[in-house]
Amino acid sequence: MSAEGRDRLLALGAPIALVALWEAAVRSGLLDARFFPPPSLVVGTFWRLAADGTLLQHTWASVVRVLVGFAIGSAAGLAAGLMLGTIRSLRVALEPVISALYVIPKVAILPLVMLIFGLGEASKIAIVAIATFFIAVINTTAAVVGVEPIFLEAGRAFGARRLQMFAHIILPGALPAIFTGLRLALGTALIVIIAAEFVAAKEGIGYFIWFAWNTLRPEAMFAGFIVIGALGMLSYAAIRWIGGRLMPWQEDVASPEGRSEHA
Amino acid sequence: MSLKITVSDVAKVYRGRGRAVPALDRVSLQVADGEFVCIVGPSGCGKSTLLRILAGLIPQTSGNVAIASGGRGKPLHSFVFQEYAVFPWKTVFQNVAFGLQMRGVPEAERRAAALHWIERVGLREFADAYPHQLSGGMRQRVGIARAFANDPEVLLMDEPLGALDAQTRLILMDELLGLWELDRKTVVYITHDIEEAVLLGDRVVLMTARPGTPKATFAVPFARPRGVALKATPAFAGLSYQIWEALRDEAVAAMGAAGAGLGRATTRTGAPGAEYGS
């Protein structure tokens, strides 16, 4: 067998083996079925909840909040980061403030956000936007500052003016690191929305999992985990795809081993 | 022959953290129209600094720099950096057309000029490729074409072949000589490779260790058009060795200074303009 074929077999086979092991462990009583329902039951529950539209309804609610919040937060973060990156005095003045606010876990300010934005959709979107904003602004600033000086020199040597420098050198030069930031931000947005939905929602995949706990249905909780995992993978693939379209010059934009995180 | 570049008493001192590091000390240099001048010197002698002052990328601390305009409405200078200064986010075509685009040259004219120079450096099939798809030597052909396409009065080259492997370097030296023969623009060429300087230049200016100042000038008498074959001649080896003998002290001084983390304390009263060789 070729090395590639063996790799593929390992990559596919290992998870299947793990699931089989899990099933066997539950059936033989090694794992407590009250906490770890057997995969067969989880899959059955998942299909039932998917078929009757329950999962779709909750997933959709979460996805909308994440997308709207992410769009607002990343757009604001991107704009602010581009300004901070290019205007030195602004950066010197605001970077300590932003760094200080960044380290506060966004879930900690959820009560305040709910106080301000109420119990409706606005507070959920706001908390996602805030979390996204900080990651986007910090990474975008670092990305702009990190543009190789030789490219700036080359731009100036060929007579690029301020706006030309920005459009032809700084923005494309910073784009790979900006995308790394957006990938991180989207991952964080998912974490934050699940946490927010645990405590302050009547729908959404976070609410769904919390409700499953309240009603002692671990198999439904696991169905929720599957959805979250799928959302994570899907968002990762989406960012990667968009990055590839925007940056055709990159061999692989979002490869986790390829670039540093700049955070 | 008319003067193209006049550098008079230029000095550069880098200041930072309460320390002043002199990089260039009283540099005077004259380059004739159409002359190919190579500047060699030990690492950190400020030769790149001098070139950046010529390009207006950094200001000198004192002294004057003048480049005579040809009155053609063309840019005064174009810069060739090392090969990694080619923009990775632009295709070969976009890179080569960059200077023209910044100057607002009309699309059709820009396109024709860029394609002409892409063809000249043998990258026609790669016009739409991105730099990461090219080898180091091909990338530097892009860097060279980017400067030539801009059609400047003066070409400023900062160790353009310095990061390439030895074979690629030889190939590109030949190509560079061929390109330059086309219209013999004025060139100031920085290198640490003496043989490269002798092969390419009409004149080799040797700089002292930091703070850099011209120490000696060597006229290169070999007839043009030249090629890499010139390296096989005894006269070439003789001149190269002569320059090395003069450079060796400075290279040793530069290593010592680097070890101490400071520039040289003594100022040198070099003999700019002194003609050796031939």
Side-chain angles (χ1 to χ4, degrees), chain B residues 5-11 26-30 60 62-66:
Chain B
I5 303 173
T6 314
V7 177
S8 339
D9 271 332
V10 163
R26 286 180 295 125
V27 176
S28 291
L29 180 71
Q30 296 179 333
Q60 64 267 38
S62 63
N64 285 309
V65 168

PDB file of all heavy atoms in Angstrom, chain B residues 5-11 26-30 60 62-66:
ATOM      1  N   ILE B   5      25.195  61.651 -11.635  1.00  0.00           N
ATOM      2  CA  ILE B   5      24.961  61.634 -10.190  1.00  0.00           C
ATOM      3  C   ILE B   5      26.105  62.359  -9.491  1.00  0.00           C
ATOM      4  O   ILE B   5      27.269  62.105  -9.785  1.00  0.00           O
ATOM      5  CB  ILE B   5      24.882  60.197  -9.644  1.00  0.00           C
ATOM      6  CG1 ILE B   5      23.782  59.413 -10.366  1.00  0.00           C
ATOM      7  CG2 ILE B   5      24.658  60.183  -8.132  1.00  0.00           C
ATOM      8  CD1 ILE B   5      23.753  57.944 -10.020  1.00  0.00           C
ATOM      9  N   THR B   6      25.759  63.266  -8.608  1.00  0.00           N
ATOM     10  CA  THR B   6      26.774  63.956  -7.820  1.00  0.00           C
ATOM     11  C   THR B   6      26.435  63.805  -6.338  1.00  0.00           C
ATOM     12  O   THR B   6      25.372  64.226  -5.891  1.00  0.00           O
ATOM     13  CB  THR B   6      26.818  65.458  -8.171  1.00  0.00           C
ATOM     14  OG1 THR B   6      26.810  65.584  -9.591  1.00  0.00           O
ATOM     15  CG2 THR B   6      28.046  66.107  -7.598  1.00  0.00           C
ATOM     16  N   VAL B   7      27.329  63.168  -5.633  1.00  0.00           N
ATOM     17  CA  VAL B   7      27.175  63.030  -4.187  1.00  0.00           C
ATOM     18  C   VAL B   7      28.276  63.863  -3.551  1.00  0.00           C
ATOM     19  O   VAL B   7      29.447  63.636  -3.811  1.00  0.00           O
ATOM     20  CB  VAL B   7      27.322  61.550  -3.758  1.00  0.00           C
ATOM     21  CG1 VAL B   7      27.227  61.411  -2.239  1.00  0.00           C
ATOM     22  CG2 VAL B   7      26.274  60.684  -4.442  1.00  0.00           C
ATOM     23  N   SER B   8      27.897  64.878  -2.756  1.00  0.00           N
ATOM     24  CA  SER B   8      28.916  65.726  -2.153  1.00  0.00           C
ATOM     25  C   SER B   8      28.835  65.699  -0.637  1.00  0.00           C
ATOM     26  O   SER B   8      27.817  66.072  -0.061  1.00  0.00           O
ATOM     27  CB  SER B   8      28.764  67.182  -2.617  1.00  0.00           C
ATOM     28  OG  SER B   8      28.048  67.269  -3.809  1.00  0.00           O
ATOM     29  N   ASP B   9      29.907  65.218  -0.035  1.00  0.00           N
ATOM     30  CA  ASP B   9      30.075  65.283   1.421  1.00  0.00           C
ATOM     31  C   ASP B   9      28.878  64.743   2.196  1.00  0.00           C
ATOM     32  O   ASP B   9      28.462  65.325   3.201  1.00  0.00           O
ATOM     33  CB  ASP B   9      30.326  66.748   1.851  1.00  0.00           C
ATOM     34  CG  ASP B   9      31.808  67.065   1.813  1.00  0.00           C
ATOM     35  OD1 ASP B   9      32.607  66.123   1.987  1.00  0.00           O
ATOM     36  OD2 ASP B   9      32.155  68.241   1.598  1.00  0.00           O
ATOM     37  N   VAL B  10      28.340  63.644   1.730  1.00  0.00           N
ATOM     38  CA  VAL B  10      27.160  63.100   2.409  1.00  0.00           C
ATOM     39  C   VAL B  10      27.574  62.321   3.652  1.00  0.00           C
ATOM     40  O   VAL B  10      28.500  61.513   3.614  1.00  0.00           O
ATOM     41  CB  VAL B  10      26.346  62.203   1.458  1.00  0.00           C
ATOM     42  CG1 VAL B  10      25.380  61.307   2.240  1.00  0.00           C
ATOM     43  CG2 VAL B  10      25.571  63.067   0.466  1.00  0.00           C
ATOM     44  N   ALA B  11      26.899  62.612   4.747  1.00  0.00           N
ATOM     45  CA  ALA B  11      27.113  61.853   5.977  1.00  0.00           C
ATOM     46  C   ALA B  11      25.764  61.372   6.475  1.00  0.00           C
ATOM     47  O   ALA B  11      24.724  61.976   6.199  1.00  0.00           O
ATOM     48  CB  ALA B  11      27.780  62.730   7.030  1.00  0.00           C
ATOM     49  N   ARG B  26      31.316  61.669   5.192  1.00  0.00           N
ATOM     50  CA  ARG B  26      31.837  62.485   4.104  1.00  0.00           C
ATOM     51  C   ARG B  26      32.041  61.686   2.805  1.00  0.00           C
ATOM     52  O   ARG B  26      33.144  61.494   2.334  1.00  0.00           O
ATOM     53  CB  ARG B  26      33.143  63.166   4.524  1.00  0.00           C
ATOM     54  CG  ARG B  26      32.875  64.324   5.497  1.00  0.00           C
ATOM     55  CD  ARG B  26      34.159  65.002   5.923  1.00  0.00           C
ATOM     56  NE  ARG B  26      34.990  64.109   6.685  1.00  0.00           N
ATOM     57  CZ  ARG B  26      36.255  63.814   6.377  1.00  0.00           C
ATOM     58  NH1 ARG B  26      36.819  64.329   5.317  1.00  0.00           N
ATOM     59  NH2 ARG B  26      36.940  62.990   7.129  1.00  0.00           N
ATOM     60  N   VAL B  27      30.951  61.234   2.268  1.00  0.00           N
ATOM     61  CA  VAL B  27      31.017  60.467   1.021  1.00  0.00           C
ATOM     62  C   VAL B  27      30.835  61.417  -0.156  1.00  0.00           C
ATOM     63  O   VAL B  27      29.851  62.155  -0.226  1.00  0.00           O
ATOM     64  CB  VAL B  27      29.917  59.389   0.975  1.00  0.00           C
ATOM     65  CG1 VAL B  27      29.954  58.667  -0.371  1.00  0.00           C
ATOM     66  CG2 VAL B  27      30.081  58.409   2.121  1.00  0.00           C
ATOM     67  N   SER B  28      31.808  61.411  -1.044  1.00  0.00           N
ATOM     68  CA  SER B  28      31.659  62.162  -2.287  1.00  0.00           C
ATOM     69  C   SER B  28      31.868  61.199  -3.437  1.00  0.00           C
ATOM     70  O   SER B  28      32.754  60.344  -3.397  1.00  0.00           O
ATOM     71  CB  SER B  28      32.668  63.299  -2.359  1.00  0.00           C
ATOM     72  OG  SER B  28      32.337  64.290  -1.395  1.00  0.00           O
ATOM     73  N   LEU B  29      31.020  61.319  -4.433  1.00  0.00           N
ATOM     74  CA  LEU B  29      31.054  60.360  -5.530  1.00  0.00           C
ATOM     75  C   LEU B  29      30.424  61.016  -6.754  1.00  0.00           C
ATOM     76  O   LEU B  29      29.423  61.718  -6.637  1.00  0.00           O
ATOM     77  CB  LEU B  29      30.245  59.121  -5.127  1.00  0.00           C
ATOM     78  CG  LEU B  29      30.132  57.971  -6.120  1.00  0.00           C
ATOM     79  CD1 LEU B  29      31.458  57.248  -6.239  1.00  0.00           C
ATOM     80  CD2 LEU B  29      29.052  56.994  -5.656  1.00  0.00           C
ATOM     81  N   GLN B  30      31.069  60.822  -7.883  1.00  0.00           N
ATOM     82  CA  GLN B  30      30.489  61.347  -9.110  1.00  0.00           C
ATOM     83  C   GLN B  30      30.336  60.210 -10.099  1.00  0.00           C
ATOM     84  O   GLN B  30      31.238  59.392 -10.260  1.00  0.00           O
ATOM     85  CB  GLN B  30      31.377  62.441  -9.693  1.00  0.00           C
ATOM     86  CG  GLN B  30      31.458  63.645  -8.761  1.00  0.00           C
ATOM     87  CD  GLN B  30      32.346  64.743  -9.305  1.00  0.00           C
ATOM     88  OE1 GLN B  30      33.268  64.467 -10.064  1.00  0.00           O
ATOM     89  NE2 GLN B  30      32.056  65.977  -8.916  1.00  0.00           N
ATOM     90  N   GLN B  60      19.680  62.030   4.238  1.00  0.00           N
ATOM     91  CA  GLN B  60      21.049  62.096   4.741  1.00  0.00           C
ATOM     92  C   GLN B  60      21.098  63.072   5.909  1.00  0.00           C
ATOM     93  O   GLN B  60      20.207  63.899   6.060  1.00  0.00           O
ATOM     94  CB  GLN B  60      22.018  62.539   3.631  1.00  0.00           C
ATOM     95  CG  GLN B  60      21.797  63.950   3.102  1.00  0.00           C
ATOM     96  CD  GLN B  60      20.879  63.970   1.884  1.00  0.00           C
ATOM     97  OE1 GLN B  60      19.917  63.216   1.819  1.00  0.00           O
ATOM     98  NE2 GLN B  60      21.167  64.847   0.930  1.00  0.00           N
ATOM     99  N   SER B  62      23.795  65.077   6.491  1.00  0.00           N
ATOM    100  CA  SER B  62      24.327  66.298   5.903  1.00  0.00           C
ATOM    101  C   SER B  62      24.864  65.989   4.511  1.00  0.00           C
ATOM    102  O   SER B  62      25.012  64.825   4.136  1.00  0.00           O
ATOM    103  CB  SER B  62      25.440  66.874   6.789  1.00  0.00           C
ATOM    104  OG  SER B  62      26.515  65.960   6.866  1.00  0.00           O
ATOM    105  N   GLY B  63      25.161  67.024   3.762  1.00  0.00           N
ATOM    106  CA  GLY B  63      25.679  66.844   2.413  1.00  0.00           C
ATOM    107  C   GLY B  63      24.575  66.879   1.367  1.00  0.00           C
ATOM    108  O   GLY B  63      23.391  67.008   1.695  1.00  0.00           O
ATOM    109  N   ASN B  64      24.978  66.755   0.109  1.00  0.00           N
ATOM    110  CA  ASN B  64      24.018  66.889  -0.989  1.00  0.00           C
ATOM    111  C   ASN B  64      24.088  65.725  -1.963  1.00  0.00           C
ATOM    112  O   ASN B  64      25.150  65.149  -2.189  1.00  0.00           O
ATOM    113  CB  ASN B  64      24.289  68.178  -1.766  1.00  0.00           C
ATOM    114  CG  ASN B  64      23.796  69.381  -0.983  1.00  0.00           C
ATOM    115  OD1 ASN B  64      22.656  69.424  -0.535  1.00  0.00           O
ATOM    116  ND2 ASN B  64      24.694  70.346  -0.787  1.00  0.00           N
ATOM    117  N   VAL B  65      22.934  65.441  -2.525  1.00  0.00           N
ATOM    118  CA  VAL B  65      22.833  64.413  -3.557  1.00  0.00           C
ATOM    119  C   VAL B  65      22.066  65.008  -4.724  1.00  0.00           C
ATOM    120  O   VAL B  65      21.036  65.646  -4.527  1.00  0.00           O
ATOM    121  CB  VAL B  65      22.072  63.180  -3.020  1.00  0.00           C
ATOM    122  CG1 VAL B  65      21.721  62.244  -4.161  1.00  0.00           C
ATOM    123  CG2 VAL B  65      22.897  62.447  -1.982  1.00  0.00           C
ATOM    124  N   ALA B  66      22.573  64.847  -5.919  1.00  0.00           N
ATOM    125  CA  ALA B  66      21.849  65.356  -7.084  1.00  0.00           C
ATOM    126  C   ALA B  66      21.890  64.327  -8.204  1.00  0.00           C
ATOM    127  O   ALA B  66      22.934  63.740  -8.490  1.00  0.00           O
ATOM    128  CB  ALA B  66      22.470  66.666  -7.553  1.00  0.00           C
TER     129      ALA B  66
END
